[in-house]
Amino acid sequence: RVYADNTAVGGATGSSLSVSRTGERFLVDAAHAYSSSFSSLGTLSAGETLTAGVITQDGKRVYAYADSGKLYAFDLDTFGVGGIQQVAGSPIMLSNTVGNSPVMTVSVDGRTVFIAGDDRVIVQPAPP
């Protein structure tokens, strides 16, 4: 449960939220992953600020966008030194950026990522 002041049970706070279909995992502010019990799964680390993110329907992957035009993929089932690990081959450099206020969604099958901002919409095959 997230309250009007953006505070969730367990102390998670944020302004953007993406939830897996079952609600077992969720992503707050494109950077912080939690389980349904509000236990932290970890923070996505990309070496730059991630400004939009989406968790896949099955809750196994997170895709995150940085204003530099890079699309990152993270595997929520693989943890290593430093927490949540990037998928091999991530990030990929997109041919454009989307401008300000980016938002993301992913297709039901998890194979296509949609990134929209005030400048354009990018439809991109999800990183492997």
Side-chain angles (χ1 to χ4, degrees):
R1 175 179 291 164
V2 178
Y3 301 100
D5 67 353
N6 293 325
T7 303
V9 175
T13 63
S15 60
S16 67
L17 178 68
S18 178
V19 183
S20 66
R21 178 181 33 223
T22 63
E24 289 183 32
R25 294 179 173 173
F26 61 97
L27 181 69
V28 176
D29 283 345
H32 308 286
Y34 294 91
S35 70
S36 60
S37 64
F38 296 95
S39 297
S40 175
L41 297 175
T43 299
L44 309 181
S45 178
E48 64 180 316
T49 302
L50 302 171
T51 56
V54 64
I55 193 167
T56 57
Q57 297 284 325
D58 62 10
K60 294 182 180 197
R61 286 258 175 115
V62 168
Y63 298 109
Y65 172 79
D67 286 339
S68 65
K70 292 179 183 173
L71 177 62
Y72 291 85
F74 296 90
D75 183 348
L76 292 182
D77 286 337
T78 305
F79 299 93
V81 177
I84 300 170
Q85 299 296 297
Q86 285 185 42
V87 173
S90 173
I92 60 172
M93 189 67 183
L94 302 173
S95 59
N96 288 300
T97 60
V98 296
N100 296 320
S101 304
V103 294
M104 292 179 70
T105 193
V106 64
S107 62
V108 173
D109 64 7
R111 295 183 182 176
T112 307
V113 177
F114 303 86
I115 311 164
D118 66 353
D119 191 40
R120 68 179 40 90
V121 174
I122 295 175
V123 179
Q124 175 72 35

